[in-house]
Amino acid sequence: MTDFLIKSTITLLVLLAVYYLFLEKEKIHVFNRFYLLFCLVFSMVLPLITIEVIEEIAQPTVNPGNIQILQGSAVILEETNYLAIGLWSLYAVVTLVLAIRFISNINTISSKMRSNEPIDYKNAKLILVPEKTLPHTFLNTIFINETEYNNREIEAELYTHELTHVTQKHTLDILFIELLKTVFWFNPIFIFYKKAIQLNHEFLADEKVVTSYNNVPFYQSLLLSKANENPTFYLASNLNYLITKKRLLMMTKTTSSSKSIAKKIILIPLFTGLVLFLCVQTITQPANDKDNSSLSEDKKRDAYYDDVRLIVKDNRKKILINKKYEVLTLNEKRSYIGNAPAAINRKSPTKKEFETWINDTRFSGILDGKKINNIDLKKYNANYIVSYSRYYNPTLNGKSIETNLNHYLLFSNSYFEKHLKDKDKKAFFKVIEKTIKEGTVTKPVIINEVQRNI
């Protein structure tokens, strides 16, 4: 969750800054409207995308068999995180209150629509209300003062302004941003997005009026005369929203087509850069060593498993093979034991790598035989880890598990010195869970133990 919030907030901030610096002052209002909406959707989707770039390394740094040892023998201690429970509870309460407020406002407007007889007006419905108010719009309904309507005191420009909100469905934009504000109430960036969207709506409505009546001075005077007559409405498009210098200047502004196209083109590397910066993840994996032949692997395995006893049992735990390694056939060695593992070397993470793990909510590690998550890592530092490796496709009873997580093996200095420093020379015990396909032997079996005599 933390990773999602960080990435989405970075995206929202960068895209909004670009909007204020390069787009808001240009008369490309339709494009700007969909740019702002796309930014909101893009920032929600981008953190969910992961582009993995494979980086091959010369040798594997860990033996898959050892991975299964640690998974099989680790004692996982689950501690109750009361701080997390408290924070999530607070989030749930505030979100519930805001959701109730959101629904209540919609219900208030809806009840006003139901309690008054609508009047058909072009593509909209007019609702006459007794209270003193400026025209404002919700969905396809325009609310106006009943007395002013009956006395024909509402200028044609104001009808055109509100009809633009209706035909271009501006209310849907407001409802969308309000939903995001309700869910992400703790992130103030959405407040600025709502203001930018609402101002863009007014630019669009003003542009329609200016195009239709071609009398900018009169329309500007009309807006100024109506400014601050009444408060703005929570979910409605309002005539006097931000009657500022921005709106008045925009009515007389022009933007050349070449300048418009140029500013749109520069957005392509912007979005591409965000994807590359936030979504690309470099993954190291062992490279296929094409220079080593099967024969050389057999020699490595023979040296490594010298004086090892192989015990093979079927699913009923009946012993099928119980032999010293030296008397196994070549086919049995290759089928049941596989290649000798590579040595585990010292390799501490950089501070940047360590911080990346802490911020990765999908991090799943095994430190000295105990499972930890990214929050647990905060108890340590990069220097505490003297050897680490990422591993893929963890299995349990032959089935892949936790495929959505990023798995790492981590070792402290004391553990490394005791268990791994002279791994190739010391006796050890390991567990391998592997189902042999039918046809390899008379029936499917599971290798349970490969035990070195001490």
Side-chain angles (χ1 to χ4, degrees), residues 421-435:
K421 181 178 180 181
D422 300 317
K423 180 178 67 97
D424 290 340
K425 301 176 183 178
K426 292 184 177 181
F428 70 99
F429 172 82
K430 69 179 179 180
V431 177
I432 302 175
E433 293 183 352
K434 179 180 178 184
T435 302

Side-chain angles (χ1 to χ4, degrees), residues 5-149:
L5 293 176
I6 292 174
K7 289 183 178 180
S8 63
T9 301
I10 291 174
T11 306
L12 287 166
L13 282 172
V14 171
L15 296 179
L16 186 61
V18 169
Y19 174 77
Y20 281 138
L21 291 173
F22 299 103
L23 299 176
E24 185 190 47
K25 298 177 183 178
E26 303 302 329
K27 206 165 187 176
I28 47 175
H29 307 316
V30 174
F31 176 83
N32 284 348
R33 178 192 180 189
F34 289 101
Y35 171 84
L36 289 169
L37 294 174
F38 179 77
C39 290
L40 293 172
V41 175
F42 183 75
S43 65
M44 296 297 107
V45 174
L46 188 68
L48 306 178
I49 300 174
T50 301
I51 301 174
E52 295 185 346
V53 177
I54 306 299
E55 179 182 341
E56 294 187 339
I57 56 177
Q59 286 184 333
T61 58
V62 68
N63 172 28
N66 284 337
I67 294 170
Q68 295 178 2
I69 297 172
L70 296 173
Q71 287 183 317
S73 62
V75 178
I76 302 174
L77 300 177
E78 296 290 343
E79 297 182 0
T80 303
N81 191 334
Y82 293 103
L83 177 60
I85 294 174
L87 291 175
W88 277 109
S89 300
L90 175 63
Y91 170 80
V93 171
V94 175
T95 303
L96 179 62
V97 171
L98 294 176
I100 293 173
R101 173 176 174 258
F102 178 71
I103 295 171
S104 175
N105 276 277
I106 292 180
N107 186 59
T108 299
I109 297 175
S110 299
S111 62
K112 187 183 292 187
M113 294 165 61
R114 291 191 300 266
S115 61
N116 294 276
E117 188 68 26
I119 300 172
D120 291 331
Y121 181 79
K122 296 184 179 180
N123 296 324
K125 302 284 187 182
L126 298 180
I127 295 293
L128 307 182
V129 294
E131 61 266 20
K132 184 70 174 178
T133 183
L134 279 175
H136 56 280
T137 302
F138 182 80
L139 295 175
N140 68 332
T141 303
I142 302 173
F143 298 89
I144 58 177
N145 178 259
E146 183 177 11
T147 302
E148 292 180 347
Y149 174 79

Side-chain angles (χ1 to χ4, degrees), residues 270-319:
L270 172 66
F271 284 101
T272 304
L274 285 171
V275 171
L276 294 176
F277 178 68
L278 297 175
C279 297
V280 174
Q281 181 178 6
T282 302
I283 299 174
T284 58
Q285 70 176 24
N288 293 326
D289 191 353
K290 297 180 180 178
D291 296 329
N292 291 335
S293 63
S294 298
L295 182 60
S296 63
E297 290 295 343
D298 290 337
K299 291 181 179 179
K300 292 178 182 179
R301 182 175 55 248
D302 291 344
Y304 185 81
Y305 291 106
D306 178 48
D307 200 33
V308 168
R309 177 171 292 275
L310 174 67
I311 302 173
V312 179
K313 300 177 183 179
D314 63 15
N315 292 323
R316 299 178 182 177
K317 297 190 177 181
K318 179 182 178 181
I319 296 178

Side-chain angles (χ1 to χ4, degrees), residues 105-357:
N105 276 277
I106 292 180
N107 186 59
T108 299
I109 297 175
S110 299
S111 62
K112 187 183 292 187
M113 294 165 61
R114 291 191 300 266
S115 61
N116 294 276
E117 188 68 26
I119 300 172
D120 291 331
Y121 181 79
K122 296 184 179 180
N123 296 324
K125 302 284 187 182
L126 298 180
I127 295 293
L128 307 182
V129 294
E131 61 266 20
K132 184 70 174 178
T133 183
L134 279 175
H136 56 280
T137 302
F138 182 80
L139 295 175
N140 68 332
T141 303
I142 302 173
F143 298 89
I144 58 177
N145 178 259
E146 183 177 11
T147 302
E148 292 180 347
Y149 174 79
N150 292 330
N151 295 335
R152 301 183 183 276
E153 296 175 354
I154 301 175
E155 292 80 357
E157 286 85 352
L158 301 188
Y159 283 115
T160 301
H161 182 102
E162 297 305 318
L163 276 172
T164 303
H165 291 313
V166 171
T167 56
Q168 296 185 7
K169 303 185 186 304
H170 292 168
T171 304
L172 297 181
D173 300 0
I174 301 301
L175 291 175
F176 177 54
I177 187 63
E178 282 298 331
L179 281 173
L180 290 177
K181 283 178 60 184
T182 300
V183 176
F184 300 102
W185 51 265
F186 49 85
N187 192 341
I189 188 67
F190 290 102
I191 298 174
F192 296 97
Y193 267 90
K194 182 181 178 182
K195 289 182 178 180
I197 288 172
Q198 286 182 298
L199 182 57
N200 174 258
H201 290 169
E202 297 311 308
F203 286 158
L204 287 163
D206 292 341
E207 184 179 37
K208 181 64 176 177
V209 173
V210 170
T211 303
S212 300
Y213 296 95
N214 196 26
N215 192 344
V216 175
F218 174 77
Y219 182 56
Q220 289 177 330
S221 300
L222 177 62
L223 290 180
L224 290 173
S225 68
K226 302 292 184 181
N228 301 319
E229 281 195 10
N230 66 316
T232 58
F233 295 86
Y234 175 55
L235 296 175
S237 296
N238 302 277
L239 175 72
N240 69 341
Y241 179 77
L242 287 180
I243 305 294
T244 64
K245 189 176 180 181
K246 286 184 179 180
R247 282 182 66 183
L248 301 178
L249 290 176
M250 187 60 70
M251 296 177 195
T252 58
K253 188 177 181 63
T254 59
T255 298
S256 65
S257 59
S258 58
K259 186 177 182 181
S260 171
I261 293 172
K263 292 205 170 188
K264 293 174 185 177
I265 290 176
I266 65 172
L267 296 177
I268 297 176
L270 172 66
F271 284 101
T272 304
L274 285 171
V275 171
L276 294 176
F277 178 68
L278 297 175
C279 297
V280 174
Q281 181 178 6
T282 302
I283 299 174
T284 58
Q285 70 176 24
N288 293 326
D289 191 353
K290 297 180 180 178
D291 296 329
N292 291 335
S293 63
S294 298
L295 182 60
S296 63
E297 290 295 343
D298 290 337
K299 291 181 179 179
K300 292 178 182 179
R301 182 175 55 248
D302 291 344
Y304 185 81
Y305 291 106
D306 178 48
D307 200 33
V308 168
R309 177 171 292 275
L310 174 67
I311 302 173
V312 179
K313 300 177 183 179
D314 63 15
N315 292 323
R316 299 178 182 177
K317 297 190 177 181
K318 179 182 178 181
I319 296 178
L320 301 179
I321 296 177
N322 187 350
K323 299 179 183 179
K324 293 287 292 290
Y325 178 86
E326 291 78 9
V327 299
L328 293 173
T329 66
L330 181 60
N331 185 57
E332 288 174 334
K333 293 176 182 178
R334 290 179 175 177
S335 298
Y336 296 131
I337 297 180
N339 297 333
I344 297 180
N345 299 318
R346 287 180 178 271
K347 180 185 177 184
S348 295
T350 64
K351 290 184 178 180
K352 184 176 181 180
E353 286 177 311
F354 195 79
E355 287 295 326
T356 301
W357 295 345

